[in-house]
């Protein structure tokens, strides 16, 4: 008789968050997070914000995940903004809480993630959608993508970091025009402005994003985390980015992966990085 040995830990089920508005799939160490409300153009309601927060936590904490993609379901929209139907009942306190919660749970967390999180923008990226894309480490767009901060049309301003990140990414003059007119720009204008890194046909969007992440994932994870930490310091007035760069360089040069990288170069072979 054949007995199978099943180790006890096999039965310890991994605690996973159940998602109702996101599709999550991890393949080749890349976690694809797809916002799944195509009938509402993937608008960010309370549930989507909470689930995105949980999904980003999973990306950060799961050692099997090296990087992530955020995209929207359907051919039309990445995210068409915060869910406007949730605005009517809000007073000043509620409005502040909505913006604060979103920034804390999702936007700031994405920006500061030590693992790369890239936006694959497959259509409208408006309001909170443009802000979500901007909180990612960089952006790839499909040819039909459109970007804008139309909050002024509602008597509002962005609340998820849009006034700050748009100025950082495309400069004050262009940002001011987009913020104050509420106009949309197409993917090629976004490319020209430096808001996105590449524009590709929609059917090639995810493959292009994964190809770039495969390259990043082949590098030393601690070095990738160091790039994010040091580059993010440019946008934090409380930090001296040059000091952070010096300290991070010093910490990295003492890691096993940096020793392996130098040895592999000198021995003319491919480096085998372990994330240590
Ligand atoms: N919040 C809530 N619902 C939204 C939404 C949002 N931000 N954006 C789109 N939707 C919903 C629409 O109400 C509509 O729902 P319905 O079919 O139940 O009526 C559905 O998504 C499809 O949108 P629709 O407006 O019919 O599509 P369109 O092709 O005519 O226009 C947009 C597309 C993106 C131009 C338009 O939907 C729009 O302007 N959306 C709001 C953008 C915005 O102001 N975002 C910032 C919010 S702070």
């Amino acid at each position: 008789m054949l007995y199978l040995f099943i180790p006890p830990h096999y039965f310890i089920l991994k605690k996973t968050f159940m998602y109702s508005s996101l599709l999550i799939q991890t393949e080749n160490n890349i976690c694809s997070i797809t916002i799944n409300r195509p009938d509402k153009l993937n608008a960010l309601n309370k549930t989507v914000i909470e689930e995105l927060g949980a999904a980003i936590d999973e990306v950060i904490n799961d050692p099997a995940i090296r990087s992530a993609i955020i995209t929207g379901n359907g051919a039309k929209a990445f995210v068409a903004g915060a869910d406007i139907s949730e605005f009517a009942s809000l007073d000043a306190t509620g409005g502040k809480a909505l913006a604060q919660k979103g920034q804390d749970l999702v936007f700031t967390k994405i920006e500061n993630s030590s693992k790369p999180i890239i936006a694959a923008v497959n259509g409208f990226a408006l309001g909170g959608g443009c802000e979500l894309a901007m909180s990612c480490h960089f952006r790839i767009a499909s040819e039909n993508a459109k970007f804008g901060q139309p909050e002024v049309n509602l008597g509002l301003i962005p609340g998820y970091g849009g006034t700050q990140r748009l100025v950082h990414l495309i400069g004050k003059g262009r940002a001011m025009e987009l913020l104050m007119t509420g106009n949309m720009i197409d993917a090629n204008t976004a490319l020209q402005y430096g808001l996105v890194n590449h524009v590709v046909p929609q059917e090639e969007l995810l493959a292009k994003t994964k190809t770039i992440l495969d390259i990043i994932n082949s590098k030393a994870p601690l070095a990738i985390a160091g790039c994010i930490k040091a580059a993010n310091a440019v946008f934090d007035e409380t930090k001296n980015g040059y000091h952070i760069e010096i300290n991070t360089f010093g910490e990295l040069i003492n890691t096993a992966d940096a020793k392996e990288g130098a040895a592999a170069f000198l021995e003319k072979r491919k480096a085998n990085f372990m994330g240590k």
Side-chain angles (χ1 to χ4, degrees):
M1 190 184 285
L2 178 70
Y3 289 97
L4 284 178
F5 172 70
I6 302 176
H9 68 261
Y10 185 87
F11 294 105
I12 300 172
L13 289 174
K14 203 174 137 197
K15 197 178 159 206
T16 36
F17 194 93
M18 296 302 291
Y19 297 101
S20 61
S21 303
L22 303 181
L23 303 170
I24 309 270
Q25 193 190 26
T26 300
E27 205 180 359
N28 291 336
N29 307 112
I30 300 171
C31 178
S32 299
I33 301 169
T34 306
I35 299 163
N36 187 29
R37 296 184 76 206
D39 55 325
K40 296 290 177 189
L41 305 189
N42 301 319
L44 302 174
N45 63 6
K46 185 170 176 282
T47 305
V48 176
I49 289 291
E50 285 169 359
E51 292 190 357
L52 273 175
I56 302 307
D57 285 339
E58 269 196 60
V59 168
I60 293 167
N61 296 322
D62 186 342
I65 297 175
R66 296 280 302 274
S67 54
I69 297 170
I70 298 182
T71 193
N73 197 12
K76 192 167 168 183
F78 172 70
V79 168
D83 192 319
I84 299 167
S85 68
E86 291 182 345
F87 285 4
S89 60
L90 293 176
D91 60 9
T93 308
K96 268 189 183 175
L98 178 96
Q100 184 79 55
K101 181 179 168 187
Q103 291 203 16
D104 294 347
L105 271 187
V106 178
F107 296 77
T108 311
K109 212 190 286 173
I110 291 174
E111 186 164 59
N112 293 327
S113 159
S114 60
K115 298 177 184 177
I117 302 178
I118 310 309
V121 181
N122 55 305
F124 288 113
L126 303 176
C130 190
E131 292 171 293
L132 182 63
M134 291 193 293
S135 71
C136 291
H137 296 123
F138 57 86
R139 291 142 291 282
I140 319 289
S142 59
E143 287 163 340
N144 65 319
K146 287 204 162 54
F147 297 81
Q149 296 289 164
E151 288 85 351
V152 284
N153 297 332
L154 305 169
L156 290 168
I157 67 165
Y160 291 146
T163 59
Q164 307 303 293
R165 293 194 182 96
L166 195 62
V167 172
H168 288 316
L169 284 166
I170 68 173
K172 187 174 172 186
R174 284 167 169 167
M176 285 289 198
E177 184 178 340
L178 287 184
L179 290 166
M180 292 194 284
T181 61
N183 283 347
M184 293 184 214
I185 54 170
D186 63 17
N188 283 323
T189 307
L191 182 66
Q192 187 202 330
Y193 282 10
L195 186 56
V196 304
N197 292 11
H198 305 275
V199 176
V200 295
Q202 193 174 50
E203 59 277 14
E204 293 170 23
L205 179 64
L206 289 181
K208 173 75 179 175
T209 312
K210 285 177 182 170
T211 300
I212 296 173
L213 283 178
D214 282 339
I215 296 171
I216 295 171
N217 289 351
S218 73
K219 315 298 178 192
L222 294 175
I224 297 301
C227 292
I228 293 171
K229 185 175 160 190
N232 273 351
V234 174
F235 305 111
D236 186 340
E237 284 169 6
T238 65
K239 291 181 178 153
N240 182 322
Y242 292 97
H243 288 169
I244 287 176
E245 184 178 288
I246 289 165
N247 289 336
T248 308
F249 182 87
E251 286 160 17
L252 285 171
I253 210 156
N254 203 30
T255 61
D257 276 355
K259 307 290 174 213
E260 163 65 7
F265 176 80
L266 295 172
E267 292 162 19
K268 301 190 187 306
R269 61 173 173 82
K270 195 172 175 296
N272 180 25
F273 294 123
M274 305 298 285
K276 291 177 188 164

